[in-house]
Amino acid sequence: MPKLAYLGPEGTFTEEALRILAPGAERLPSTNVPAALEAVRRGQADGAVVPLENSLEGAITTTLDELARGESLLINAELLLPVEFSLLARPGTEIAHIKRVFTHPAAITQCRNFIARELPDAVVVAASSTAAAAQEVALPGSPYDAAIAARIAGEHYGLVELAGGIGDRSDTVTRFVQVSRPGPLPEPTGADRTSLVAFLADDHPGALLEMLTEFSVRGVNLSRIESRPTGDGIGRYFFHFDFEGHVADARVGEAVSGLHRICSRVRFLGSYPRADALSPQIKRGTGDDDFAEAASWLDRIRTGQV
Ligand SMILES: O=C(O)C(=O)C[C@]1(C(=O)O)C=C[C@@H](O)C=C1
C-alpha cells in the first residue's frame, strides 16, 4: 500500500482529493506543501497530493515554486475537485460575535464576498490549511472565533456549521496533482497533459515568443502558462507550462526537445492523463504518422532518392 503525503491535517480538501486519487493509500498529513513534497524527496512517502491551481484564485504559487526547485518530482495524475466552504465555530458561537476568522489564503480569496458581507468587522488570519484552521479554532482558549473549511473538518474537530456554501461561486474547482519521484511515465491514453518548467537563457526581446513558437509550429496546444519570479531581480522569471499531449507523442517530444535546445534549463514535470479526459485535435501534419512519414522522406532525399 503506497504512503502518500498531503497538505493536512485530516479534513483538508487535499485529503479529500487524495482519497479519490488513491483510495487505498496510507495518508501522511504534512503541515504545508513544501513539507509534503520534501517527504517524497526524502523517501518518507512514495508520493504526495498537493493543490496546484484553483478556478477562482488561479495558481497555488507555493506548489509551482516547490515543483520548480529541489530534486525533480513527476506528476502522474491530476484531479479537479469541486470545493465548498463552510463557516465553522465552537458550539454556541453566534456569527455576530465572530471577530477573528482563521483559514487558508486560497479560501479567503474564494469567500471574499461572504466575509465582506457577513463578517465586515472580523480580522481574517491566514492558516497553513483550512483543516489546520478548524483544528485550531476547536482548541479551548483559541484566539480564533471561527474557521472557513470543508464541512467535514467541522465533523473532525467538533465544530458546528454556522453557514454553508459560502464561496463566492458555487462552481469553484481546485486542481490537485499526485506526484512521485522520477520513474516510468503513465502510458499515453490519447487524452493526456504534459507539464514542464522552462528557464530562459536570457531575456532578449522575443525570448518568450520563441518558447511559445516551439509549441505552435508543432500544433501543440498550451493550456496554461504561468510566470514565476526567479528571485534574481524584477523582471527575471521562469515559466510553468501545461499543454495537451504526452511526451511520447512525436509533436510533443519535438516541442519539448526544441525548448531544451533554446532554454537554459527545462524541468520536465510529467505526462499524465487529463482529469477531463478530453482528447486534443491533431492539426494537419502533426500526428505521429506525419512525423514518421516526414522522417522517412527526409532520409530518402538525404540519400538522393528524390
Ligand atoms: O486548505 C485546504 O483544505 C487545502 O486543501 C488547500 C486548498 C488550496 O491550497 O487551494 C485547497 C482547496 C481550496 O481551494 C482551499 C485550500
Side-chain angles (χ1 to χ4, degrees), residues 7 12-14 51 54 60 83 85 104 106-107 110 129-131 174 176:
L7 173 62
T12 59
F13 293 102
T14 305
N54 175 270
I60 308 299
V83 288
F85 298 96
H104 186 279
Q110 296 172 72
S129 75
T130 59
T174 295
F176 294 89

Side-chain angles (χ1 to χ4, degrees), residues 15-247:
E15 186 202 16
E16 185 181 353
L18 190 165
R19 286 173 178 272
I20 298 168
L21 281 166
E26 179 186 349
R27 297 188 296 277
L28 176 66
S30 299
T31 52
N32 52 50
V33 167
L37 298 178
E38 273 317 296
V40 184
R41 290 176 170 131
R42 291 190 184 134
Q44 296 161 342
D46 303 300
V49 173
V50 292
L52 188 71
E53 65 176 318
N54 175 270
S55 57
L56 198 56
E57 193 213 7
I60 308 299
T61 54
T62 301
T63 303
L64 298 189
D65 294 347
E66 289 301 315
L67 288 176
R69 60 162 288 281
E71 290 172 34
S72 282
L73 293 172
L74 285 183
I75 300 171
N76 36 54
E78 68 172 13
L79 174 79
L80 301 178
L81 181 73
V83 288
E84 187 174 320
F85 298 96
S86 297
L87 182 68
L88 307 172
R90 292 179 294 276
T93 304
E94 294 179 20
I95 287 187
H97 300 150
I98 293 173
K99 296 304 176 207
R100 287 174 64 80
V101 178
F102 204 25
T103 190
H104 186 279
I108 299 172
T109 306
Q110 296 172 72
C111 302
R112 190 184 286 126
N113 295 342
F114 173 87
I115 293 169
R117 186 179 66 249
E118 303 296 335
L119 302 164
D121 302 323
V123 172
V124 185
V125 179
S128 56
S129 75
T130 59
Q135 195 175 44
E136 164 63 38
V137 166
L139 294 177
S142 169
Y144 303 102
D145 307 310
I148 293 176
R151 182 176 299 120
I152 193 169
E155 295 163 14
H156 268 302
Y157 302 110
L159 300 178
V160 295
E161 181 183 61
L162 300 183
I166 65 172
D168 293 352
R169 290 181 64 116
S170 60
D171 58 353
T172 306
V173 171
T174 295
R175 176 181 170 210
F176 294 89
V177 291
Q178 183 176 335
V179 302
S180 64
R181 286 183 298 280
L185 302 183
E187 286 298 314
T189 65
D192 301 305
R193 193 186 312 279
T194 296
S195 300
L196 61 77
V197 182
F199 297 82
L200 282 173
D202 58 58
D203 54 356
H204 63 273
L208 182 54
L209 178 60
E210 289 166 12
M211 289 204 291
L212 299 178
T213 301
E214 293 298 332
F215 295 101
S216 62
V217 294
R218 296 166 178 103
V220 175
N221 184 35
L222 280 176
S223 55
R224 184 174 66 92
I225 176 172
E226 303 264 0
S227 61
R228 289 296 301 150
T230 61
D232 299 333
I234 294 292
R236 306 302 303 275
Y237 304 106
F238 62 89
F239 299 89
H240 268 260
F241 291 97
D242 284 348
F243 41 96
E244 292 179 345
H246 191 290
V247 71

